[in-house]
């Protein structure tokens, strides 16, 4: 939840229900699996669960990234977005 908030500069705040619901749906869809590997015990909390993308999950991430890239390209061609981040920063 903190990572999502940090990555979006505070624009998106995810509650526990949203997070755990998303994890449940991704597990059911075979996009992620729970892993037994744990980090250094001093950095770990036994209640914490760890997940990794499956092959199908990785393909889904790749396909969604390509879809988003095409959407951004189309928005730039229609002059809805600046052609680069630097153009946005300098204006």
């Amino acid at each position: 939840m903190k990572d999502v908030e940090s990555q979006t500069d505070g624009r998106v705040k995810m509650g526990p229900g949203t997070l755990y619901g998303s994890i449940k749906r991704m597990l059911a869809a075979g996009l992620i699996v729970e892993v037994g590997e744990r980090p250094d015990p001093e950095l770990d909390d036994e209640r914490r669960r760890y997940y990794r993308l499956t092959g199908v999950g990785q393909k889904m991430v790749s396909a969604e990234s390509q879809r988003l890239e095409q959407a951004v390209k189309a928005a730039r061609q229609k002059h809805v977005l600046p052609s680069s981040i630097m153009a946005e920063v300098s204006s």
Side-chain angles (χ1 to χ4, degrees), residues 2 8-12 19 25 28 33-34 36 43 46 49-50 54 58 65 67 84 86 88:
K2 291 177 185 177
T8 62
D9 294 325
R11 290 185 305 270
V12 176
L19 174 64
R25 285 188 300 281
V33 292
E34 188 171 347
L43 303 173
E46 66 274 355
R49 304 280 187 241
Y50 295 87
T54 62
Q58 185 60 50
S65 297
R67 185 191 71 77
S84 74
M86 294 310 295
E88 187 177 337

Side-chain angles (χ1 to χ4, degrees), residues 29-61:
L31 302 175
I32 62 172
V33 292
E34 188 171 347
V35 295
E37 301 133 26
R38 305 193 74 76
D40 181 340
E42 298 207 10
L43 303 173
D44 193 23
D45 177 341
E46 66 274 355
R47 298 171 296 172
R48 183 171 285 170
R49 304 280 187 241
Y50 295 87
Y51 303 90
R52 71 167 175 76
L53 284 171
T54 62
V56 172
Q58 185 60 50
K59 287 178 184 176
M60 181 74 77
V61 167

